[in-house]
Short mmCIF file of all heavy atoms in Angstrom, two decimals:
data_model
loop_
_atom_site.label_atom_id
_atom_site.label_comp_id
_atom_site.label_asym_id
_atom_site.label_seq_id
_atom_site.Cartn_x
_atom_site.Cartn_y
_atom_site.Cartn_z
N ASN I 1 -5.71 6.88 -0.41
CA ASN I 1 -5.84 7.83 0.70
C ASN I 1 -7.26 8.35 0.83
O ASN I 1 -7.76 8.59 1.94
CB ASN I 1 -4.87 9.00 0.51
CG ASN I 1 -3.42 8.57 0.66
OD1 ASN I 1 -3.14 7.41 0.92
ND2 ASN I 1 -2.51 9.51 0.51
N TRP I 2 -7.93 8.52 -0.33
CA TRP I 2 -9.32 9.02 -0.30
C TRP I 2 -10.24 8.02 0.38
O TRP I 2 -11.09 8.40 1.19
CB TRP I 2 -9.77 9.29 -1.73
CG TRP I 2 -11.19 9.73 -1.84
CD1 TRP I 2 -11.71 10.94 -1.49
CD2 TRP I 2 -12.30 8.94 -2.32
NE1 TRP I 2 -13.07 10.98 -1.73
CE2 TRP I 2 -13.46 9.77 -2.23
CE3 TRP I 2 -12.43 7.66 -2.82
CZ2 TRP I 2 -14.72 9.31 -2.62
CZ3 TRP I 2 -13.67 7.21 -3.21
CH2 TRP I 2 -14.80 8.03 -3.10
N VAL I 3 -10.06 6.72 0.07
CA VAL I 3 -10.88 5.69 0.71
C VAL I 3 -10.60 5.65 2.22
O VAL I 3 -11.53 5.55 3.03
CB VAL I 3 -10.61 4.32 0.07
CG1 VAL I 3 -11.31 3.21 0.86
CG2 VAL I 3 -11.09 4.31 -1.38
N LEU I 4 -9.33 5.74 2.59
CA LEU I 4 -8.98 5.74 4.01
C LEU I 4 -9.58 6.95 4.72
O LEU I 4 -10.04 6.85 5.87
CB LEU I 4 -7.46 5.73 4.17
CG LEU I 4 -6.74 4.45 3.75
CD1 LEU I 4 -5.24 4.62 3.90
CD2 LEU I 4 -7.22 3.26 4.58
N GLN I 5 -9.58 8.08 4.04
CA GLN I 5 -10.16 9.29 4.64
C GLN I 5 -11.66 9.14 4.87
O GLN I 5 -12.21 9.63 5.85
CB GLN I 5 -9.87 10.49 3.73
CG GLN I 5 -10.30 11.83 4.34
CD GLN I 5 -9.95 12.99 3.43
OE1 GLN I 5 -9.51 12.80 2.29
NE2 GLN I 5 -10.12 14.20 3.92
N LEU I 6 -12.34 8.42 3.97
CA LEU I 6 -13.77 8.22 4.11
C LEU I 6 -14.11 7.45 5.38
O LEU I 6 -15.17 7.65 5.99
CB LEU I 6 -14.33 7.48 2.89
CG LEU I 6 -14.41 8.26 1.58
CD1 LEU I 6 -14.96 7.38 0.47
CD2 LEU I 6 -15.28 9.50 1.74
N ILE I 7 -13.22 6.54 5.78
CA ILE I 7 -13.48 5.73 6.98
C ILE I 7 -12.76 6.28 8.21
O ILE I 7 -12.68 5.62 9.25
CB ILE I 7 -13.08 4.26 6.75
CG1 ILE I 7 -11.59 4.14 6.42
CG2 ILE I 7 -13.91 3.64 5.64
CD1 ILE I 7 -11.10 2.70 6.25
N GLY I 8 -12.23 7.49 8.07
CA GLY I 8 -11.64 8.16 9.22
C GLY I 8 -10.23 7.74 9.57
O GLY I 8 -9.80 7.90 10.72
N VAL I 9 -9.49 7.21 8.61
CA VAL I 9 -8.12 6.77 8.85
C VAL I 9 -7.16 7.74 8.15
O VAL I 9 -7.33 8.05 6.97
CB VAL I 9 -7.89 5.33 8.33
CG1 VAL I 9 -6.43 4.93 8.52
CG2 VAL I 9 -8.82 4.37 9.05
N THR I 10 -6.17 8.20 8.89
CA THR I 10 -5.17 9.09 8.32
C THR I 10 -4.13 8.27 7.57
O THR I 10 -3.50 7.37 8.13
CB THR I 10 -4.46 9.91 9.41
OG1 THR I 10 -5.44 10.66 10.13
CG2 THR I 10 -3.44 10.87 8.81
N ALA I 11 -3.96 8.57 6.30
CA ALA I 11 -3.02 7.81 5.47
C ALA I 11 -1.58 8.14 5.86
O ALA I 11 -1.25 9.31 6.12
CB ALA I 11 -3.24 8.14 4.00
N PRO I 12 -0.73 7.15 5.94
CA PRO I 12 0.68 7.40 6.25
C PRO I 12 1.43 7.89 5.02
O PRO I 12 0.89 7.93 3.92
CB PRO I 12 1.19 6.01 6.69
CG PRO I 12 0.34 5.07 5.90
CD PRO I 12 -1.01 5.71 5.77
N GLY I 13 2.68 8.25 5.22
CA GLY I 13 3.54 8.57 4.08
C GLY I 13 4.04 7.27 3.48
O GLY I 13 5.06 6.74 3.94
N TRP I 14 3.33 6.79 2.50
CA TRP I 14 3.59 5.44 1.99
C TRP I 14 5.04 5.24 1.57
O TRP I 14 5.63 4.19 1.86
CB TRP I 14 2.67 5.14 0.81
CG TRP I 14 1.22 5.16 1.14
CD1 TRP I 14 0.31 6.13 0.80
CD2 TRP I 14 0.48 4.19 1.90
NE1 TRP I 14 -0.93 5.81 1.28
CE2 TRP I 14 -0.87 4.63 1.96
CE3 TRP I 14 0.84 2.99 2.51
CZ2 TRP I 14 -1.85 3.92 2.61
CZ3 TRP I 14 -0.15 2.27 3.17
CH2 TRP I 14 -1.48 2.72 3.22
N THR I 15 5.61 6.22 0.88
CA THR I 15 6.99 6.07 0.39
C THR I 15 7.95 7.04 1.04
O THR I 15 9.15 7.00 0.76
CB THR I 15 7.04 6.29 -1.14
OG1 THR I 15 6.51 7.58 -1.45
CG2 THR I 15 6.23 5.22 -1.86
N THR I 16 7.46 7.89 1.95
CA THR I 16 8.33 8.88 2.59
C THR I 16 8.54 8.60 4.07
O THR I 16 9.43 9.19 4.68
CB THR I 16 7.73 10.29 2.44
OG1 THR I 16 6.40 10.32 2.98
CG2 THR I 16 7.66 10.69 0.97
N ASP I 17 7.75 7.73 4.64
CA ASP I 17 7.88 7.35 6.04
C ASP I 17 8.75 6.09 6.13
O ASP I 17 8.46 5.08 5.51
CB ASP I 17 6.50 7.09 6.64
CG ASP I 17 6.54 6.86 8.15
OD1 ASP I 17 7.59 6.41 8.65
OD2 ASP I 17 5.53 7.13 8.82
N SER I 18 9.82 6.17 6.93
CA SER I 18 10.74 5.03 7.03
C SER I 18 10.06 3.76 7.53
O SER I 18 10.47 2.65 7.19
CB SER I 18 11.90 5.39 7.98
OG SER I 18 12.64 6.47 7.47
N GLY I 19 9.02 3.93 8.35
CA GLY I 19 8.33 2.76 8.87
C GLY I 19 7.39 2.11 7.88
O GLY I 19 7.00 0.95 8.07
N TRP I 20 7.01 2.84 6.83
CA TRP I 20 6.05 2.32 5.87
C TRP I 20 6.64 2.03 4.50
O TRP I 20 6.06 1.28 3.70
CB TRP I 20 4.89 3.32 5.69
CG TRP I 20 3.86 3.23 6.75
CD1 TRP I 20 3.77 3.99 7.88
CD2 TRP I 20 2.77 2.31 6.81
NE1 TRP I 20 2.70 3.60 8.64
CE2 TRP I 20 2.06 2.57 8.00
CE3 TRP I 20 2.33 1.30 5.97
CZ2 TRP I 20 0.93 1.86 8.37
CZ3 TRP I 20 1.20 0.57 6.33
CH2 TRP I 20 0.52 0.85 7.52
N ALA I 21 7.79 2.60 4.18
CA ALA I 21 8.33 2.51 2.82
C ALA I 21 8.60 1.07 2.41
O ALA I 21 8.22 0.65 1.31
CB ALA I 21 9.60 3.34 2.72
N LEU I 22 9.25 0.29 3.28
CA LEU I 22 9.56 -1.10 2.93
C LEU I 22 8.29 -1.93 2.78
O LEU I 22 8.19 -2.78 1.89
CB LEU I 22 10.48 -1.72 3.98
CG LEU I 22 11.08 -3.08 3.62
CD1 LEU I 22 12.01 -2.95 2.42
CD2 LEU I 22 11.82 -3.69 4.80
N VAL I 23 7.30 -1.67 3.64
CA VAL I 23 6.02 -2.38 3.56
C VAL I 23 5.33 -2.04 2.23
O VAL I 23 4.75 -2.92 1.58
CB VAL I 23 5.12 -2.03 4.75
CG1 VAL I 23 3.76 -2.70 4.62
CG2 VAL I 23 5.79 -2.43 6.06
N THR I 24 5.41 -0.78 1.84
CA THR I 24 4.79 -0.35 0.59
C THR I 24 5.43 -1.03 -0.62
O THR I 24 4.74 -1.55 -1.50
CB THR I 24 4.88 1.17 0.44
OG1 THR I 24 4.25 1.80 1.55
CG2 THR I 24 4.22 1.64 -0.84
N VAL I 25 6.75 -1.04 -0.65
CA VAL I 25 7.46 -1.69 -1.76
C VAL I 25 7.17 -3.19 -1.78
O VAL I 25 6.97 -3.79 -2.85
CB VAL I 25 8.97 -1.42 -1.65
CG1 VAL I 25 9.73 -2.19 -2.73
CG2 VAL I 25 9.26 0.07 -1.77
N ALA I 26 7.11 -3.79 -0.60
CA ALA I 26 6.77 -5.22 -0.52
C ALA I 26 5.36 -5.47 -1.02
O ALA I 26 5.09 -6.45 -1.71
CB ALA I 26 6.92 -5.72 0.91
N GLY I 27 4.43 -4.57 -0.68
CA GLY I 27 3.05 -4.71 -1.13
C GLY I 27 2.93 -4.64 -2.64
O GLY I 27 2.16 -5.42 -3.25
N VAL I 28 3.68 -3.75 -3.26
CA VAL I 28 3.66 -3.65 -4.72
C VAL I 28 4.25 -4.93 -5.34
O VAL I 28 3.75 -5.44 -6.35
CB VAL I 28 4.46 -2.42 -5.19
CG1 VAL I 28 4.61 -2.40 -6.71
CG2 VAL I 28 3.77 -1.14 -4.72
N THR I 29 5.29 -5.47 -4.73
CA THR I 29 5.89 -6.71 -5.22
C THR I 29 4.90 -7.87 -5.10
O THR I 29 4.80 -8.71 -6.00
CB THR I 29 7.18 -7.03 -4.45
OG1 THR I 29 8.05 -5.88 -4.47
CG2 THR I 29 7.90 -8.22 -5.06
N VAL I 30 4.17 -7.91 -4.00
CA VAL I 30 3.13 -8.93 -3.82
C VAL I 30 2.08 -8.81 -4.91
O VAL I 30 1.64 -9.81 -5.49
CB VAL I 30 2.49 -8.82 -2.42
CG1 VAL I 30 1.24 -9.69 -2.33
CG2 VAL I 30 3.49 -9.20 -1.34
N TRP I 31 1.67 -7.59 -5.18
CA TRP I 31 0.68 -7.35 -6.24
C TRP I 31 1.18 -7.86 -7.58
O TRP I 31 0.41 -8.41 -8.38
CB TRP I 31 0.39 -5.85 -6.31
CG TRP I 31 -0.63 -5.45 -7.32
CD1 TRP I 31 -1.99 -5.55 -7.21
CD2 TRP I 31 -0.38 -4.86 -8.60
NE1 TRP I 31 -2.59 -5.06 -8.35
CE2 TRP I 31 -1.64 -4.63 -9.21
CE3 TRP I 31 0.78 -4.50 -9.29
CZ2 TRP I 31 -1.76 -4.06 -10.47
CZ3 TRP I 31 0.67 -3.92 -10.55
CH2 TRP I 31 -0.60 -3.72 -11.12
N MET I 32 2.49 -7.70 -7.82
CA MET I 32 3.07 -8.13 -9.10
C MET I 32 3.12 -9.66 -9.22
O MET I 32 2.84 -10.21 -10.28
CB MET I 32 4.47 -7.54 -9.27
CG MET I 32 4.51 -6.04 -9.48
SD MET I 32 6.20 -5.43 -9.47
CE MET I 32 6.96 -6.44 -10.73
N VAL I 33 3.53 -10.34 -8.14
CA VAL I 33 3.71 -11.80 -8.23
C VAL I 33 2.41 -12.57 -8.07
O VAL I 33 2.33 -13.75 -8.43
CB VAL I 33 4.73 -12.30 -7.18
CG1 VAL I 33 6.06 -11.61 -7.36
CG2 VAL I 33 4.21 -12.10 -5.76
N SER I 34 1.38 -11.91 -7.54
CA SER I 34 0.14 -12.63 -7.25
C SER I 34 -0.54 -13.18 -8.51
O SER I 34 -1.15 -14.25 -8.47
CB SER I 34 -0.84 -11.72 -6.50
OG SER I 34 -0.35 -11.44 -5.20
N GLY I 35 -0.43 -12.46 -9.62
CA GLY I 35 -1.07 -12.92 -10.85
C GLY I 35 -0.51 -14.25 -11.33
O GLY I 35 -1.26 -15.18 -11.62
N PHE I 36 0.82 -14.35 -11.38
CA PHE I 36 1.45 -15.60 -11.80
C PHE I 36 1.16 -16.72 -10.81
O PHE I 36 0.83 -17.85 -11.21
CB PHE I 36 2.96 -15.39 -11.93
CG PHE I 36 3.72 -16.64 -12.25
CD1 PHE I 36 3.68 -17.18 -13.53
CD2 PHE I 36 4.47 -17.29 -11.28
CE1 PHE I 36 4.38 -18.34 -13.84
CE2 PHE I 36 5.17 -18.45 -11.57
CZ PHE I 36 5.12 -18.98 -12.85
N ASN I 37 1.28 -16.42 -9.52
CA ASN I 37 1.02 -17.44 -8.50
C ASN I 37 -0.42 -17.93 -8.56
O ASN I 37 -0.70 -19.11 -8.34
CB ASN I 37 1.34 -16.88 -7.11
CG ASN I 37 2.82 -16.64 -6.92
OD1 ASN I 37 3.64 -17.03 -7.76
ND2 ASN I 37 3.19 -16.02 -5.82
N LEU I 38 -1.33 -17.02 -8.86
CA LEU I 38 -2.73 -17.41 -8.97
C LEU I 38 -2.94 -18.37 -10.13
O LEU I 38 -3.68 -19.36 -10.01
CB LEU I 38 -3.60 -16.16 -9.15
CG LEU I 38 -5.10 -16.38 -9.34
CD1 LEU I 38 -5.70 -17.09 -8.13
CD2 LEU I 38 -5.82 -15.05 -9.58
#
């Protein structure tokens, strides 16, 4: 959120906003599987 604030972007509610929560969980899963896939 701090980096986003530096560039003038308002951070969403990553895990509290219904529109962002699934994307956030998917992003964490991608982060987890990327090491093995790499």
Side-chain angles (χ1 to χ4, degrees):
N1 291 0
W2 177 72
V3 172
L4 291 177
Q5 186 178 7
L6 289 179
I7 60 177
V9 177
T10 302
W14 298 107
T15 57
T16 56
D17 187 334
S18 298
W20 279 96
L22 190 64
V23 177
T24 302
V25 175
V28 173
T29 308
V30 169
W31 181 79
M32 290 173 55
V33 302
S34 292
F36 175 74
N37 292 352
L38 178 61

